[in-house]
Amino acid sequence: MEKKNIDWGNIGFGYMEADYRYVSYYKDGKWDDGALVTDPNITLNECACVFQYAQTVFEGLKAYTTQDGHIVCFRPDLNASRMIDSAERLVMPPFPEDRFLDAVKQVVKANAAWVPPFGSGASLYIRPYLMGINSVIGVKPADEYMFRILVTPVGPYFKGGAKPITIKVSDYDRAAPHGTGDIKAGLNYAMSLRPIVKAHEEGFAENMYLDAATRTKVEETGGANFIFITKDGTLVTPKSNSILPSITRRSIMVVAEKYLGMKVEHREVYFDELADFAECGLCGTAAVISPVGKINDHGKEICFPAGMEEMGPYTKKLYDTLTGIQMGTIEAPEGWIYTIE
Ligand code: PLP
Ligand code: COI
């Protein structure tokens, strides 16, 4: 498969129109067979539930080229099951897990020319999404749905690659008024648009959201979970039922314990504790593991001494092991790697 003529090492996190996308429709209580199509545009009725009441959920995962030339995905079964949970919360029909995996395989295979080569630092971002498409004007769920997957090659989520970023404590709560952050739904992200614009205007890369009830506990950022490293090398990561259950974070917990022999704590993390941590990072499909050097709390700075100039030593070990597993240079735990071709 001849690759597209792209400067893979220098692409950012943006949308490029690949050749194929996957589409399946739900009507009269069942999903159709689904198909690959070439048209990137969607035409819908003006009163479609997705437009009026934001009835839409999505997922994010990546495909990688391994050192020995295969194309693989990382734990797509967990994206399939999380999407089912998100869909249930917005009263949408689940797209079955086996169909999800097959659709990912079809669309990545068809777009193999867009999968960045091994060692380029880029990967193919895969965005499954599901929306209510028939017209509704009273507040109720749709009866008809569209499931789609688009793919686009991406580079690092944060500008500057592996250089530590500075984030701010958000002035906003991330959760949508009637929802929580634990579903990957369009409305949650719409509610984070104003905070992210504000953060960027002020020169920060992301927002740290605190729990909405007390604003004393660390939740997550707009697009990633947090990891912290204590001075004695323990991985601490916030536990909350109002943050997205990050697949990357769940994987890092296993990597830390089983591959690196680190102690792992998954617990409530109080904002007041932050000054005691040695390293801080953001983790997610897009963020991978991005080091945080500084957190700005309304003018007061919290600095992580081990990670101000470059990734701290524990964060680096976690990053190298995780990406090694994803790209096939380190043996993965059973079932983590889904081979596309
Ligand atoms: N939290 C939020 C709000 C996200 O958007 C993401 C990205 O998907 C994550 C966390 C990380 O989740 P994952 O590791 O499953 O990509
Ligand atoms: C992902 O990591 O897949 C996300 O959805 C994060 C998003 C901010 C791009």
Side-chain angles (χ1 to χ4, degrees):
M1 167 70 61
E2 192 159 336
K3 295 284 176 192
K4 298 285 169 184
N5 184 19
I6 292 172
D7 183 7
W8 303 105
N10 286 307
I11 58 174
F13 198 90
Y15 170 75
M16 275 183 227
E17 197 181 298
D19 294 329
Y20 297 96
R21 53 281 303 140
Y22 179 91
V23 189
S24 180
Y25 290 95
Y26 181 90
K27 199 175 172 177
D28 299 328
K30 57 178 191 301
W31 288 104
D32 72 6
D33 290 343
L36 294 172
V37 299
T38 53
D39 188 354
N41 300 302
I42 302 175
T43 303
L44 289 179
N45 182 269
E46 61 190 355
C47 210
C49 198
V50 57
F51 297 141
Q52 303 309 325
Y53 301 120
Q55 195 188 20
T56 177
V57 299
F58 67 99
E59 267 305 325
L61 64 157
K62 281 175 172 172
Y64 312 88
T65 304
T66 59
Q67 195 164 25
D68 59 0
H70 289 288
I71 297 176
V72 301
C73 285
F74 183 69
R75 310 188 78 182
D77 51 319
L78 298 186
N79 296 96
S81 70
R82 189 172 62 187
M83 193 172 198
I84 290 170
D85 295 342
S86 298
E88 191 174 69
R89 181 64 178 78
L90 294 196
V91 207
M92 307 170 87
F95 195 70
E97 182 173 322
D98 58 332
R99 288 285 313 275
F100 182 103
L101 295 178
D102 175 60
V104 166
K105 186 171 267 185
Q106 283 190 44
V107 75
V108 173
K109 243 185 182 166
N111 291 296
W114 296 89
V115 183
F118 176 80
S120 65
S123 53
L124 188 76
Y125 188 69
I126 304 167
R127 171 59 63 91
Y129 54 119
L130 167 61
M131 70 195 95
I133 58 171
N134 64 295
S135 58
V136 290
I137 194 76
V139 178
K140 63 172 185 154
D143 304 306
E144 296 174 14
Y145 292 85
M146 177 170 12
F147 170 86
R148 293 179 74 104
I149 304 179
L150 69 82
V151 301
T152 184
V154 294
Y157 192 64
F158 295 107
K159 288 190 189 80
K163 220 174 146 34
I165 55 173
T166 301
I167 65 173
K168 68 168 282 188
V169 178
S170 181
D171 310 313
Y172 299 86
D173 297 324
R174 177 169 186 283
H178 307 294
T180 62
D182 64 342
I183 56 166
K184 211 163 159 62
L187 58 94
N188 281 334
Y189 292 78
M191 294 305 282
S192 74
L193 294 176
R194 186 169 174 176
I196 195 65
V197 167
K198 194 157 182 269
H200 287 165
E201 277 170 5
E202 293 170 4
F204 302 107
E206 253 291 8
N207 283 290
M208 166 182 273
Y209 292 100
L210 303 179
D211 72 296
T214 70
R215 294 222 176 168
T216 58
K217 287 177 269 187
V218 175
E219 294 261 285
E220 61 174 341
T221 65
N225 280 184
F226 276 106
I227 56 170
F228 300 100
I229 307 289
T230 64
K231 290 187 181 115
D232 60 1
T234 297
L235 171 71
V236 179
T237 183
K239 187 177 201 166
S240 160
N241 57 15
S242 53
I243 64 175
L244 196 75
S246 160
I247 293 161
T248 315
R249 188 258 303 154
R250 286 180 265 164
S251 305
I252 288 169
M253 288 168 65
V254 175
V255 165
E257 196 174 328
K258 300 277 190 288
Y259 284 70
L260 302 176
M262 292 166 66
K263 224 177 115 208
V264 175
E265 293 177 8
H266 185 214
R267 60 166 172 85
E268 291 186 329
V269 174
Y270 284 86
F271 184 73
D272 284 352
E273 294 178 63
L274 294 187
D276 295 333
F277 292 129
E279 298 175 38
C280 172
L282 305 186
C283 69
T285 299
V288 192
I289 299 179
S290 300
V292 175
K294 252 193 253 177
I295 299 172
N296 188 301
D297 175 22
H298 302 90
K300 215 177 92 207
E301 287 189 337
I302 299 164
C303 300
F304 298 100
M308 295 279 288
E309 296 307 318
E310 52 182 20
M311 237 186 234
Y314 284 95
T315 307
K316 177 94 172 73
K317 267 194 255 179
L318 289 168
Y319 177 90
D320 287 344
T321 312
L322 177 73
T323 54
I325 290 170
Q326 290 169 331
M327 283 161 216
T329 56
I330 295 175
E331 194 175 342
E334 179 77 32
W336 280 23
I337 298 300
Y338 180 67
T339 304
I340 304 286
E341 65 173 37

